[in-house]
Each structure stands twice: as C-alpha cells, then as structure tokens.
Amino acid sequence: MKILVTGGAGFIGSAVIRHLIREGAAAVVNVDKLTYAATPEALEEAGESPNYAFAKIDICDGPALREVFAAHRPDAVMHLAAESHVDRSIDDAADFIQTNVVGTCRLLETATDYWRALEGPAQSAFRFHHISTDEVFGALGAEGHFTEETPYKPNSPYSASKASSDHFVRAWHQTHGLPVVTSNCSNNYGLYQFPEKLIPLMIINALTEKPLPVYGKGENVRDWLHVEDHARALVAVLTQGRVGETYNVGGDSEMRNIDVVHMICDLVDELSPRAETVEGGGGRRDLVTFVTDRPGHDLRYAVDASKIKRELGWTPQESFASGLRKTVVWYLEHQDWWRGILERRYAGERLGLSKADQKAG
Ligand code: NAD
Ligand code: TYD
C-alpha cells in the first residue's frame, strides 16, 4: 500500500509516518510545504527508508498535486496539512482559509480526478482520509461529550476553517462519490510539538525559568491524547473505517489547563531540579502567571470515542500521567531542537490577543 500523506512534516503527520514506516505498514509520499510549523527532523529515521519519499508542495498548487499523484500513484490519502494554531488564526485568518479550506478543495479535486481514472479493485479500495479536530463542535459546558452527531458550532477562525474543510470533504463524497473517511480528534501532545502550543510552551518556559502564561483563570478543559495513540487511531480509521463515516478520537483525559501546568511544573522540578539560588526557593509553580484570556476561548472539550473503540477496536494506550512524563523527558533530552526554534522561528511571545487587548496592553 502506498499512502500520500499531506502535512507529514508536522507534529501529527510525522508521528503517522514514523508509525507507518516502522511497522512496515505502507510506503509513504509526504506532501508538505514546510511552513514555520514543520519539523523535518522528526522524519530523519523515516528518511532513510526506501519506502519514504518527500515532495515539497503547497496543497493549494493544483498542477503540482496532479504531478505527485501521477508520479506516485497512491492507494490512499491521509490529509493532515493545515494551519493548526488557534491563537495565530485570531491574529490573521488568511492562511487558515487558504490552506485549510482552499487547499483542501484543491486536494479533493485532484484526488477525485485521480480516483476516477483508477480501475476495478484499485478504485474501490481507494480512500481519502481527512484529519480534523473536535474543535469544530464548539464549546461544552460542565457536562456532556462530543459525539459524531453533535452539531457543528465552531468558535475560532481555526475551527471555522476546519469545519468548512470537513463540510467540503462530505460534499465531495455526496456529490462526486469520492470514498472518504473523516476523524475528529481532541488535543494532542507529545514529541516534536511546536512550542506555540500549551504543553511544549509550558515545559520549555519552566525549564528556562520564564513565566508560564495561563489564559484567564486556567479553568478551561481539554481532553488530551498522546500523539502516538492518535497515529494508531488514524491508521485504524484509514484501513478499517466505513466510507462516508466520521470517527471521534479522544483520550478520556479531561484536564483543566491549570492542573496540566501544575503537573508540568512538578515533573520539571523532579527531572531538572531548580538551582538553589532561585529567589524564594519554591518550585516552578511559582512561575505561573494568569494573563488576559484568549478571545472566544472555548470552555471545555470532551470527546465520546466509543464509536472508534466499538467498531475499530482502538483504545488509547498511554495515560495522561505517563504520556506527560515521557514528553517532559523528551523535551529535556532534545534541547537543541527547541532551542533552534526559539532562536529562529518563534521565541514564545504572546499570540492571539484581541485587537482591543493589544491596544490596551
Ligand atoms: P502542525 O501545524 O504541526 O503541522 C502542519 C503541517 O502542515 C506542517 O508540516 C506544515 O508545513 C504543513 N502545511 C501547512 N500548510 C500547508 C500547505 N498549504 N501545503 C502543504 N503543507 C502545508 O499541525 P498538527 O498539530 O500536526 O496537525 C495536523 C492535523 O491534525 C491538522 O489538520 C489539524 O487540524 C489536525 N488536528 C490537530 C490536533 C492537535 O492537537 N495538534 C488535534 C486534532 C486535529
Ligand atoms: P492550545 O495548545 O493552543 O490548543 P487549543 O487552543 O487548540 O485547545 O491551547 C490549549 C489550552 O491552553 C487552551 O485552553 C488555551 C490554553 N493556553 C494557555 O492557557 N496559555 C498558553 O500560553 C497557550 C498557548 C494556551
């Protein structure tokens, strides 16, 4: 089997590719534009395999996409390429609309033309797997979970662009017959996550003795899933999912942001003890700083993943406590990787303030 993976140089895409190549499950062609968020270092091991190829392509570029389909003749597409950070979508939504909406439509057009020209079993076995987020469902109150039937109610420009792409994928299936499957996953964490996201930012700031900026009161809840559990779920959805269906993926690990940050502080204290000279002599929890909330900040996400568990036999293997410990150890051992990013691409500055808050502060 040959899989065309878009966004394979990103956090989740690279985990999927490492998984596929290590398991000998498929040959991969990775289509990625290499934006600021790409981490090609995460593919060094895969890059040595004869089953791995890379094409530096923008998914908005139809002719380049057609060439890569013709050259590699994939049996399936796993579409992960996206702009993925909510705060950046608040600052400027243009790239989100371009890549997540327009790019997805280009890819759908190209994949449909390619799929139509396939014959017999190759045509019936072809799959287009769209990778999406639980954020398309909007925010939950204190109770309840997102199911596959929950109505879409996106609140951020990021989630609106992903919701739009989900609808286009559905429309291509209904209108053109493209055999699609879609998965909607909760927040991921783990190795090689770009330090703009909560967990890596807090680990790095704790290690470097910088303030830990918790939005609002830290009471927002996310449902965390280790990226390698997500990678296994995605392979299950691609290979066993029913055409036209959507599958929710989540870790059954709901946590308030402040509790996540406290866990990180305690792990960093344990694994990299603070110098005795630090003022006050307390632990890293002292670095927590409550800052102006994110505009439109969704209160709570929680995923009901019973469908994928029941139908595809997938369950998460990593508990949040064990996965977070592994992640802190990984960031401790890969300081060159994130220090390079801090120097050249993103130094940890606040993103995603409302225009009014920017003016005030
Ligand atoms: P990421 O930002 O780490 O990586 C995105 C990758 O896409 C990068 O390698 C980037 O270079 C590439 N890319 C961006 N624009 C492109 C374009 N126009 N053409 C080609 N490549 C382009 O993102 P991630 O966290 O790995 O997320 C991957 C997918 O999973 C996204 O679709 C995201 O919406 C979805 N998702 C993410 C999470 C999460 O917690 N990170 C949760 C659920 C779903
Ligand atoms: P994030 O990692 O950006 O993921 P998402 O917005 O897609 O859920 O943020 C996770 C949670 O952490 C979210 O509730 C916002 C919050 N947060 C902070 O409190 N401080 C920060 O510096 C960041 C980046 C996020």
Side-chain angles (χ1 to χ4, degrees):
M1 186 176 191
K2 183 175 260 191
I3 305 176
L4 188 153
V5 177
T6 72
F11 165 53
I12 301 172
S14 63
V16 171
I17 293 177
R18 287 194 304 272
H19 178 76
L20 289 169
I21 298 283
R22 264 186 210 153
E23 301 285 311
V28 170
V29 52
N30 174 15
V31 168
D32 198 299
K33 176 185 170 184
L34 301 182
T35 67
Y36 79 93
T39 62
E41 304 86 348
L43 292 167
E44 272 166 19
E45 183 193 320
E48 286 166 16
S49 165
N51 289 328
Y52 174 79
F54 174 66
K56 186 172 186 294
I57 286 175
D58 185 332
I59 56 162
C60 301
D61 182 345
L65 283 178
R66 273 199 292 283
E67 271 177 35
V68 83
F69 272 82
H72 290 276
R73 308 212 48 81
D75 303 298
V77 173
M78 295 177 88
H79 174 37
L80 296 101
E83 289 294 332
S84 67
H85 188 36
V86 172
D87 288 332
R88 287 183 196 265
S89 79
I90 295 166
D91 287 338
D92 187 353
D95 287 348
F96 289 75
I97 298 162
Q98 188 61 21
T99 287
N100 301 2
V101 185
V102 178
T104 297
C105 290
R106 283 279 170 281
L107 187 66
L108 285 164
E109 283 161 5
T110 313
T112 303
D113 290 346
Y114 168 80
W115 163 73
R116 279 233 178 83
L118 293 173
E119 282 171 9
Q123 190 180 63
S124 47
F126 185 82
R127 293 288 180 275
F128 184 103
H129 180 183
H130 177 58
I131 284 80
S132 191
T133 166
D134 62 349
E135 304 190 21
V136 297
F137 300 121
L140 292 164
E143 302 287 324
H145 289 79
F146 299 132
T147 72
E148 287 78 5
E149 277 70 49
T150 302
Y152 276 38
K153 218 173 173 185
N155 291 319
S156 72
Y158 162 68
S159 55
S161 70
K162 291 296 292 186
S164 173
S165 67
D166 291 13
H167 291 321
F168 277 109
V169 170
R170 180 190 153 85
W172 246 262
H173 172 60
Q174 298 290 341
T175 306
H176 301 296
L178 184 70
V180 306
V181 278
T182 294
S183 52
N184 296 88
C185 187
S186 63
N187 286 64
N188 284 214
Y189 70 100
L191 63 174
Y192 289 114
Q193 187 167 30
F194 196 82
E196 63 194 355
K197 306 279 166 54
L198 177 75
I199 288 184
L201 182 71
M202 296 296 155
I203 296 173
I204 290 169
N205 281 11
L207 280 169
T208 53
E209 299 285 348
K210 291 207 188 113
L212 307 177
V214 174
Y215 298 170
K217 294 183 178 149
E219 282 168 358
N220 304 67
V221 171
R222 298 293 181 261
D223 177 356
W224 295 97
L225 181 70
H226 193 272
V227 68
E228 285 168 0
D229 276 326
H230 190 195
R232 289 189 308 103
L234 293 179
V235 174
V237 170
L238 175 75
T239 55
Q240 304 168 56
R242 286 184 287 134
V243 168
E245 293 285 316
T246 68
Y247 294 88
N248 281 359
V249 187
D252 297 326
S253 290
E254 279 184 59
M255 299 279 300
R256 293 188 313 162
N257 291 338
I258 188 64
D259 297 327
V260 173
V261 174
H262 281 159
M263 281 173 80
I264 291 171
C265 291
D266 297 350
L267 281 164
V268 173
D269 283 343
E270 180 196 324
L271 296 163
S272 176
R274 233 174 168 187
E276 276 169 19
T277 48
V278 172
E279 210 181 318
R284 260 64 164 220
R285 287 188 186 211
D286 290 352
L287 296 170
V288 169
T289 312
F290 293 99
V291 297
T292 308
D293 209 351
R294 170 189 281 173
H297 197 173
D298 286 338
L299 177 66
R300 176 172 163 261
Y301 304 141
V303 164
D304 175 349
S306 53
K307 180 176 172 183
I308 184 173
K309 290 181 184 167
R310 194 176 57 245
E311 291 191 12
L312 310 185
W314 170 86
T315 47
Q317 288 176 358
E318 199 74 64
S319 73
F320 187 65
S322 67
L324 191 63
R325 176 176 286 274
K326 279 186 191 167
T327 305
V328 172
V329 169
W330 188 89
Y331 278 82
L332 261 168
E333 290 174 350
H334 292 79
Q335 303 210 15
D336 286 353
W337 176 73
W338 55 260
R339 285 187 191 279
I341 291 175
L342 296 190
E343 273 165 30
R344 288 186 287 277
R345 284 192 266 169
Y346 172 64
E349 62 275 15
R350 175 75 197 262
L351 301 169
L353 278 174
S354 70
K355 303 286 177 243
D357 285 329
Q358 278 177 25
K359 229 176 181 178

